[in-house]
Structure formats: structure tokens, C-alpha cells
Amino acid sequence: MTEKGRIVKMVSQDQEEFEVEYGVATMSTLIANVLQDVSEETTTVPIPNVNAQVLAKVIEYCRYHYEAKRIDQSEEDIERWNKDFMKVDNKTLFNILIAASFLDIADLLDLGCKTVAGMIKDKSVEQIRELFCIEGDFTEEQEAKMREENNWGSEMSQENNAAQ
Amino acid sequence: MSVSILDLPDDLLAKVCTFLDGDSISTWGSSCRRFRKVCLEEPVWAELCQRLFGERLGNLDLWPSLSSYLDLYLFLSQYAALEGDWYGDIYPRGQLLTIRAEDGAFVGRRVAVTFCGSEDRSLSEQGATRADPIFRLAPSPSKGESRGVVRWDPRVHAGIDGKALADSGTLNLIPDTCPPSPSRSEEAILWIEGEKRTKFELHRPEMEDIGDDLSQSEEEIRLRHRLYIQNATLPEERFQTLTVYRRLLISPRKQPTAFPRDQLLSFPSSNTTDQNRIDAPIASDDPDLSGYWWGMYGPHGPEIVLVSHDGAQIEGCKITGDPNVPSGEVTFRVSAVPEKDDVFPSSTLEILQNMLDDINTQVISVQRGVARIAETGFHSAEWTLGLMLRYANGDFGVLFFPEGFVIDFTRLHIPKN
């Protein structure tokens, strides 16, 4: 039984079917595990909690990386492609993250988390709240305490300067 | 389906954290309660420590005085850069300082060679390497702080000139008023109460290797570190000395390249021409000499030399020096390629061997170059003809012309106590 020519049919939440080559589909550890004991030429795997738009994105990722590995694509090209791939709105980004986590695609999960981390880095609390449309749910007291905590570094230097 | 960041499960949010630095995590944790909870999870900091500081340093088992990875992160984010070899800019003697994490502390040791043999070159291997601790920095988080950011108060023990480590003090970070590089840097200052007062500073640039900006190599960041240790055995401030340490990196040997033959002897002129280039074949089994060596510089005693291989040349730079040729100066620079027979007839090796008849090893090849000689105070410094003699046992010597003396070098093994 060869892996070549095997097709995996992935069915999204909204019942859309995606025909994917075996090697591409098994970049998902979940699918690889499901297919382990199956030997039919064509296997249908339902992906109940990922919609078609997101699943298409995930498959696009797997296809590119499967191919990139096969033709030994350069690191820089892959980096650039990854960066472009991650140029999506927040909603899609989070959906991709959830899908990558469910399908267990380690590289995509890392890429997604890194992208979110890149959005958070060097931002102020207010900017982060605005970016992700979240509201501060701390009490006044907690807020004040946190301001104090986060200033520990500069506080210490003031003390130190005084000691000199 | 509409999804916001709050729909991500905790383990995904925690994973995002591991790609951030401590400051960003702390800011993110201040934006809402859910994030705060995720940010304070121990596994987040454990993974962050492992990723940033490696499996050995970033392992809590190495630091018995710390009880959480958050504390470890706070400690290491400021002091992990200490580890390594440092060159102490003490004119003219110089100093080799190694800092290693051991027994839950960063221990700084001054490396020295004591010569126990006679002036007889054949006994040159009888030098003993010592690494005396000059400071010990152990973290200890202050008590009663159970929040996200821990104020900590490392105990510092310092000893001078190999005397027992004594006294404790606190180590704080203060912003640097005169940064050595364009990026922000900080310095650590240690005050020792009592009659000994030791100043200990660490300049560190901002780490910027987070997110998608992973391009800056860690080595580049490390190179910009400066370490300052100030010692004073007497309470009087006038006896204080400030030693500036620079990080030493042993670069791997580069492949030999074609090089202008005349360059070596015309040094220090850096103007080179493309003429007179020769091919530079080199035996593949030729040992890499890169690293620390020591040799007996006559009456000055043993000195430590850092040998580097830049492809065309092998250079020996003094880590410790003497009043004639001080530390930091190049003591020899020779071609990476052995002389061919037509330049040095094979009889030369024989003549050399006869000259060095008290040596109990064979000279197997000769590499031509220059060697540094100077009068006291580095006055009248000049380059003289120098020959590197490669011995069968893997060591080498440098023959200084026209004086005709040979300094044998032995590889320096830094003891790990």
C-alpha cells in the first residue's frame, strides 16, 4: 500500500469537501493518527469544528510546506511566505490557531502564536486592549497595585541612586 | 463564527506568552484578569527560561535558592550574560576572568598560571593553572512578595586576591548614564558593607530577539557587553581600582585563503596588494590552534595568549602581559601555511632542531611571520621576524629574531572546581 496517490477527503464544519494528498494531510498529527489503521485509497475525515474558510487556509499552509520541504525551498523564502500567510484579520488568525491546535500541526501553531506575540510586543496596556477589543476588568485597587509592581525596576534604581 | 482572543484556550494563550519577553508578558498580563492568570502560570516561565537561557542555565534545579521559574527569569534576564570568558583590561598585566554558573551562583574566577619548573624549556609543561574565585553572585528573592514581579535581593560574596570570600551585599541595577552602545544599557552595582567595598557593574543592552525580529544574532548582542568590577581592599576611596572586562569569544578556525605573502612582514601597514598572492594549501589534519595558550616570557613569568586562526594568519594576542609588551597587544602573527621547502630548505629544520637541542620534541614545520618586541612601557615597539615552530606533540614555540630566543606555548586548560 503506497502513500502516493492516496487522497484524504477533509470535510469542514459547513460540509464542504477538500481533497488533499496524503502527505499534505498527515502534516496534521491528528489526521496522521486517524489514518494510521486505515488503508483505503480514499478516506473521508470530518473536521467538525473548523469552517471551510479556515480549513482552506490551513490546507494552503500544509500544501506549501509539504512542497517546500520536497523541493528544499530556502529558509528565507519560507520565512517570507509565512509572513505573507499570516497577513490576515484577527478573527481568521485566532481561528487558524484554534484549528492548528485541534489538528495538531505544531509548526503552524508556533507560527500563529509567534504572530500574536509579535502583535503584543512593545505595546502599552491600552493599545493591547484596543487591538483585541477587550476591556480591563480589574478594580481600581488592582490597577493601582499593578502600576506599582510594573515600576519595580525604576523604583529600585531610584533607591540605588539615593544610596550613592 | 465570531472569534476573539478571549476564545483561545488557556494553553494557547500560554504558548503565545512563551514567544514574548518578560516586559511584554507583564504588560499583557495587566490588560485583563484572564490574561493575568495565564501570564502567572509557572510553565510559561519555565518554557521562557529554557528558550532564552538554554537547558542548563534555564533549569531551576541549578538554582536551589530560587523556588519559581518567574524568579529565575527575573534573575537570569539580568545576569545570564555574565557567563563566559572575560578579558580584564588591567594595564599592563591584564587578566583572564571566567564566569560560570555553579552550585546555584555565578562564580567569577581569575585564571592564572604559576610556573613551578626551572627556566629549562623542556619543563615548560610544569606550569599549573589556577582559577581563584573573586566573586560569587547568588540570587535570593526577597520574602513576602507573592505577586507577578518579585523584588529580589541577591546575596553577593566577594573576595580579593584569592582570599576567602567574605561579606555580603546587595546587587542592584541602575540605568547606565554613559551607554557603551547606542542601545539602552544598564549596569549592576554591588555595594559591600563594612570595610571592603566592591563595585560590580554589568552593562547590558536591551535584548531584542523576540517576535519576528529574530535576525540579530546572539553573539552580536554578547559582544557589546562590558563588565566592570571595582575592588577596594581599603576603606579609602583613593585605593579603588576599576577594571573593565570585555567578553572574549574564541572564533572557530576559518578556512585558509590566499594571502599576500609580504603582508606579514610589512605589518602594521594594512595596505595590501593583490600581488604576491600564493595558494594556501594546508594539511587537513593540521590541528586547530584556536584557544588559550600560555608561555614563559623569560623574567616576566608565564603569560596567557589567545590564539586565533583567521584563515590567512594565526595570531597570538596577549591576555596577560608584561611591562614591555602589555596585555591586549599581539605578540606574534604568522602565516597559516607552513613554509615551503624552497624557501626554507629541509636543512633549516635540522639547524633549528640543533639550536633547540634541549627540546624533547621534534620540529615538524615552520610558519613565518612577525613577533612583537618592545622596551619597558611598550616604548620602541617593533615587529621583528618571528617563526612559529610546530612540534610533533601538537604544541608550538615562537622563535624571536634576531635575539634568537624561543617561547614555548602550552595549551591552557581552565580547571573546573
Side-chain angles (χ1 to χ4, degrees):
Chain A
M1 154 91 241
T2 58
E3 292 182 1
K4 249 200 165 130
R6 273 186 81 176
I7 293 290
V8 181
K9 266 191 194 161
M10 293 163 86
V11 184
S12 73
Q13 190 181 38
D14 36 357
Q15 301 305 318
E16 200 168 311
E17 276 189 19
F18 293 84
E19 291 202 351
V20 185
E21 305 76 35
Y22 181 86
V24 174
T26 49
M27 284 180 71
S28 151
T29 312
L30 178 89
I31 292 183
N33 288 340
V34 167
L35 297 186
Q36 206 162 37
D37 306 318
V38 181
S39 56
E40 290 104 68
E41 278 287 297
T42 307
T43 322
T44 306
V45 183
I47 316 287
N49 48 1
V50 181
N51 69 22
Q53 186 223 344
V54 175
L55 190 56
K57 262 313 237 185
V58 171
I59 292 169
E60 182 192 345
Y61 176 89
C62 293
R63 276 226 171 91
Y64 174 83
H65 280 264
Y66 180 74
E67 196 62 16
K69 201 173 171 190
R70 212 174 53 83
I71 62 169
D72 221 356
Q73 189 76 273
S74 76
E75 288 279 325
E76 293 109 57
D77 283 350
I78 295 177
E79 283 280 299
R80 204 172 313 123
W81 189 91
N82 279 348
K83 228 173 180 167
D84 284 343
F85 179 76
M86 278 289 138
K87 280 181 187 154
V88 292
D89 57 58
N90 283 356
K91 197 185 101 183
T92 312
L93 175 59
F94 300 142
N95 275 324
I96 290 175
L97 261 181
I98 293 171
S101 171
F102 173 75
L103 291 167
D104 203 353
I105 308 170
D107 290 350
L108 180 56
L109 192 60
D110 276 2
L111 177 65
C113 287
K114 224 174 180 173
T115 307
V116 178
M119 292 158 70
I120 293 166
K121 197 186 160 235
D122 295 335
K123 294 241 165 48
S124 71
V125 172
E126 286 70 30
Q127 283 170 321
I128 289 174
R129 285 179 182 159
E130 197 179 321
L131 180 68
F132 297 121
C133 306
I134 48 177
E135 282 177 20
D137 48 4
F138 295 109
T139 60
E140 278 290 307
E141 208 177 310
Q142 282 172 316
E143 291 264 0
K145 202 171 159 225
M146 279 190 308
R147 263 197 300 277
E148 188 189 311
E149 283 168 15
N150 291 342
N151 280 337
W152 67 282
S154 49
E155 240 172 71
M156 279 176 79
S157 56
Q158 278 159 20
E159 279 168 29
N160 200 65
N161 286 333
Q164 289 178 74
Chain B
M1 56 190 167
S2 176
V3 168
S4 100
I5 194 164
L6 293 167
D7 292 324
L8 296 181
D10 280 2
D11 61 327
L12 278 186
L13 291 177
K15 201 171 169 62
V16 169
C17 275
T18 63
F19 290 102
L20 288 168
D21 57 32
D23 286 349
S24 298
I25 293 179
S26 141
T27 311
W28 194 39
S30 303
S31 57
C32 79
R33 265 194 254 173
R34 167 109 188 279
F35 292 168
R36 181 155 193 83
K37 186 178 141 272
V38 169
C39 288
L40 290 176
E41 295 284 340
E42 188 70 351
V44 169
W45 297 92
E47 194 172 332
L48 197 64
C49 284
Q50 302 261 313
R51 182 170 65 80
L52 288 179
F53 310 116
E55 300 227 329
R56 189 179 56 87
L57 278 189
N59 189 333
L60 203 54
D61 294 343
L62 187 69
W63 308 95
S65 62
L66 291 176
S67 54
S68 79
Y69 274 101
L70 178 54
D71 290 348
L72 181 60
Y73 174 81
L74 289 174
F75 177 65
L76 287 181
S77 58
Q78 300 183 59
Y79 297 109
L82 279 175
E83 216 178 38
D85 295 341
W86 299 80
Y87 159 62
D89 187 9
I90 308 168
Y91 192 87
R93 304 295 305 187
Q95 198 181 85
L96 175 59
L97 177 75
T98 69
I99 304 180
R100 300 279 182 273
E102 47 182 272
D103 302 331
F106 282 114
V107 179
R109 294 172 187 278
R110 190 177 54 190
V111 180
V113 182
T114 38
F115 188 67
C116 352
S118 66
E119 290 277 322
D120 181 351
R121 281 196 299 273
S122 64
L123 295 176
S124 62
E125 68 274 12
Q126 286 191 10
T129 312
R130 289 175 25 202
D132 301 321
I134 60 169
F135 73 84
R136 188 180 152 82
L137 171 79
S140 88
S142 59
K143 296 168 197 86
E145 304 267 6
S146 56
R147 4 182 237 81
V149 179
V150 177
R151 195 186 294 266
W152 51 279
D153 175 18
R155 311 304 294 176
V156 176
H157 302 272
I160 292 151
D161 293 331
K163 287 179 195 139
L165 298 178
D167 297 337
S168 63
T170 57
L171 198 147
N172 289 330
L173 282 175
I174 65 165
D176 183 22
T177 49
C178 178
S181 68
S183 56
R184 183 178 67 101
S185 60
E186 294 169 321
E187 58 184 343
I189 294 202
L190 150 74
W191 300 102
I192 289 201
E193 307 301 328
E195 55 179 40
K196 280 183 192 167
R197 200 175 112 174
T198 297
K199 191 176 175 190
F200 173 96
E201 305 172 12
L202 168 67
H203 286 259
R204 56 180 279 274
E206 205 166 8
M207 300 297 258
E208 286 178 342
D209 62 336
I210 310 298
D212 56 4
D213 181 26
L214 292 161
S215 52
Q216 194 172 19
S217 83
E218 198 198 352
E219 289 305 312
E220 272 176 61
I221 296 171
R222 287 184 157 203
L223 275 171
R224 280 193 261 121
H225 288 138
R226 300 280 187 278
L227 173 67
Y228 295 83
I229 295 185
Q230 187 164 355
N231 281 338
T233 49
L234 292 168
E236 297 297 324
E237 295 206 2
R238 62 198 157 99
F239 287 106
Q240 289 190 353
T241 56
L242 178 70
T243 309
V244 179
Y245 289 87
R246 294 189 178 80
R247 186 178 294 277
L248 282 166
L249 290 174
I250 297 176
S251 43
R253 174 163 72 169
K254 294 199 186 85
Q255 282 304 308
T257 49
F259 74 103
R261 175 182 289 270
D262 291 341
Q263 186 187 346
L264 289 168
L265 280 172
S266 63
F267 195 87
S269 153
S270 57
N271 302 329
T272 57
T273 64
D274 280 352
Q275 291 163 358
N276 294 325
R277 278 177 182 272
I278 57 165
D279 290 332
I282 194 162
S284 56
D285 59 350
D286 188 49
D288 184 357
L289 299 181
S290 306
Y292 303 117
W293 295 74
W294 67 270
M296 267 300 289
Y297 278 76
H300 297 305
E303 293 179 17
I304 299 171
V305 166
L306 177 61
V307 174
S308 57
H309 249 281
D310 84 343
Q313 301 177 356
I314 298 173
E315 185 179 272
C317 187
K318 282 194 179 187
I319 302 288
T320 65
D322 54 61
N324 292 49
V325 178
S327 75
E329 295 294 336
V330 172
T331 174
F332 63 82
R333 181 181 286 134
V334 300
S335 159
V337 187
E339 287 300 327
K340 287 180 188 156
D341 282 354
D342 55 343
V343 184
F344 275 102
S346 57
S347 59
T348 314
L349 291 185
E350 234 168 87
I351 297 165
L352 282 171
Q353 194 69 56
N354 289 339
M355 264 178 67
L356 310 168
D357 53 3
D358 52 349
I359 274 185
N360 49 16
T361 180
Q362 283 284 320
V363 176
I364 51 170
S365 68
V366 176
Q367 283 154 259
R368 193 172 67 151
V370 289
R372 198 61 136 160
I373 52 170
E375 288 168 18
T376 306
F378 203 45
H379 288 304
S380 318
E382 58 175 313
W383 293 101
T384 175
L385 176 64
L387 294 181
M388 177 184 271
L389 313 172
R390 301 290 289 271
Y391 302 142
N393 67 0
D395 288 349
F396 67 91
V398 174
L399 176 57
F400 285 62
F401 278 111
E403 285 80 355
F405 61 85
V406 174
I407 296 178
D408 285 334
F409 289 89
T410 309
R411 201 175 268 280
L412 182 77
H413 295 285
I414 298 173
K416 294 180 190 137
N417 336 35

